[in-house]
Amino acid sequence: MENEKAFTENDSLAIISKMIKTAQQNFGDGSFYYIFWGWMVFIAAVANYVLLMTSYSYPTITWAILMPLGGIISGIYSYRHERGQKVTTYTDEIMRYVVIAFLGSLFTTLLMMPKLGAATYPIVLLIYAIWLFVSGGAIKFKPLVIGGIINWVAAVVCFYVNYEQQLLVISLAVLTGYIIPGYLLKARYKKQHAIN
Amino acid sequence: MFKDLDPLLHSQLRLSVISLLVGVKEAEFSFLKEKTGATAGNLSVQITKLSDAGYIEVTKSFRDNYPLTTCKITAKGLKAFEQYVNALKNYIHFNQSGS
């Protein structure tokens, strides 16, 4: 590639523009977390609702099983994925802090569940909304931003309904905020890779 | 009158490397090789030149017992790139108004 004789100023401009564009297009496939956690929360919420309706003794058992399991699986995925990452963008760097802030706030809220009572799920949805809105904006992906707005609305709704109905609102919020945008994000990644 | 173009950056491969690094926090050698299409030997030589000039920071480590080279643009490199782009603009402007 070292061909300096025929290298003009216009070639310089072309290279700068091409390379900057190449680096910017280097979005990784971040859809895993949205799809995976979307389904985990969706299944846990729906199963919790069904178990409540069938008067099962431990209706919240799905959360107790699926959430720690999800944490282990996504921890392994994250470790493997980051090891294979050849480039770290500034967006990656910011997102790392956003993820830590998101998980910190989420776990704090869940720990405070006995004090928060019926306000727990609406607050969880508010935290989801911040995560979806910020991450969608950072990777310039509108369906996630819209998912964030839906979760804000769902949080408001959750403040006014009973516990059983909150579970149904949560399942709808993760379906529209996580699962659908997650699959759309995966499709964008595949399309982008097919072009490159 | 236009400013002189930095000879260290006025090279196809070195300019490609710097332009790639401007947009990211850090990149592995294999990423730069893939995106520039250069051979490993040539890329290695140009990276050393950029590193010796203080334009980039090269970190050598190991992953799964294989050597891993990571490159990152420095503040000096960023300034040199900005000056190069400004000089380029002046040069093109000078040529256009001269013609």
Side-chain angles (χ1 to χ4, degrees):
Chain A
M1 198 169 171
E2 188 77 347
N3 188 7
E4 293 180 38
K5 279 177 191 166
F7 188 53
T8 67
E9 286 68 27
N10 284 327
D11 291 336
S12 293
L13 275 183
I15 284 175
I16 293 168
S17 134
K18 188 187 165 197
M19 289 300 154
I20 288 178
K21 209 175 162 191
T22 303
Q24 279 175 346
Q25 280 173 344
N26 204 70
F27 283 118
D29 181 11
S31 62
F32 169 80
Y33 299 103
Y34 301 104
I35 295 171
F36 178 73
W37 279 108
W39 280 119
M40 290 298 250
V41 174
F42 182 84
I43 293 165
V46 170
N48 189 353
Y49 179 80
V50 172
L51 293 176
L52 269 174
M53 294 298 109
T54 52
S55 305
Y56 182 72
S57 319
Y58 305 104
T60 55
I61 193 154
T62 48
W63 297 102
I65 296 170
L66 289 178
M67 295 305 108
L69 183 71
I72 293 167
I73 293 171
S74 49
I76 294 168
Y77 177 87
S78 159
Y79 176 73
R80 285 190 177 171
H81 179 74
E82 282 193 20
R83 274 170 71 85
Q85 211 173 347
K86 288 180 181 176
V87 62
T88 308
T89 63
Y90 289 106
T91 307
D92 293 333
E93 184 77 352
I94 295 165
M95 289 310 292
R96 203 168 288 158
Y97 281 92
V98 176
V99 169
I100 295 166
F102 165 69
L103 292 176
S105 304
L106 190 63
F107 285 128
T108 309
T109 307
L110 295 176
L111 272 175
M112 292 296 126
M113 213 169 173
K115 278 194 176 296
L116 292 168
T120 306
Y121 287 151
I123 293 172
V124 165
L125 286 180
L126 284 177
I127 295 167
Y128 281 177
I130 295 172
W131 160 247
L132 293 167
F133 197 82
V134 173
S135 60
I139 61 169
K140 296 180 180 70
F141 193 61
K142 256 192 188 144
L144 284 173
V145 175
I146 296 166
I149 296 167
I150 292 171
N151 273 257
W152 265 316
V153 175
V156 174
V157 173
C158 261
F159 274 114
Y160 290 98
V161 297
N162 64 28
Y163 180 73
E164 289 84 355
Q165 289 163 333
Q166 279 185 349
L167 292 167
L168 294 179
V169 176
I170 285 176
S171 53
L172 271 176
V174 293
L175 181 70
T176 50
Y178 280 76
I179 300 171
I180 296 171
Y183 282 111
L184 291 173
L185 186 62
K186 199 176 181 66
R188 178 178 89 160
Y189 176 77
K190 279 187 178 170
K191 196 177 162 190
Q192 185 198 328
H193 262 239
I195 294 166
N196 295 337
Chain B
M1 197 54 199
F2 59 86
K3 295 173 189 170
D4 285 333
L5 291 172
D6 184 345
L8 205 64
L9 291 184
H10 198 59
S11 133
Q12 205 163 336
L13 185 49
R14 288 195 294 272
L15 185 61
S16 297
V17 170
I18 284 285
S19 303
L20 278 171
L21 292 176
V22 159
V24 300
K25 189 178 170 268
E26 58 184 22
E28 286 179 18
F29 183 86
S30 57
F31 173 82
L32 298 173
K33 187 174 167 286
E34 182 193 321
K35 299 298 176 190
T36 58
T39 61
N42 193 9
L43 183 62
S44 186
V45 170
Q46 305 312 325
I47 280 178
T48 306
K49 282 185 186 174
L50 288 170
S51 171
D52 288 347
Y55 286 7
I56 64 170
E57 194 184 303
V58 179
T59 313
K60 292 191 185 282
S61 59
F62 284 91
R63 184 161 67 197
D64 299 331
N65 293 324
Y66 286 97
L68 179 72
T69 305
T70 312
C71 303
K72 191 178 175 178
I73 194 163
T74 61
K76 191 182 175 187
L78 203 59
K79 200 173 175 197
F81 179 76
E82 279 170 7
Q83 282 171 347
Y84 180 84
V85 171
N86 284 333
L88 209 58
K89 273 191 215 162
N90 288 340
Y91 187 87
I92 287 165
H93 179 71
F94 177 80
N95 271 8
Q96 277 173 348
S97 47
S99 61

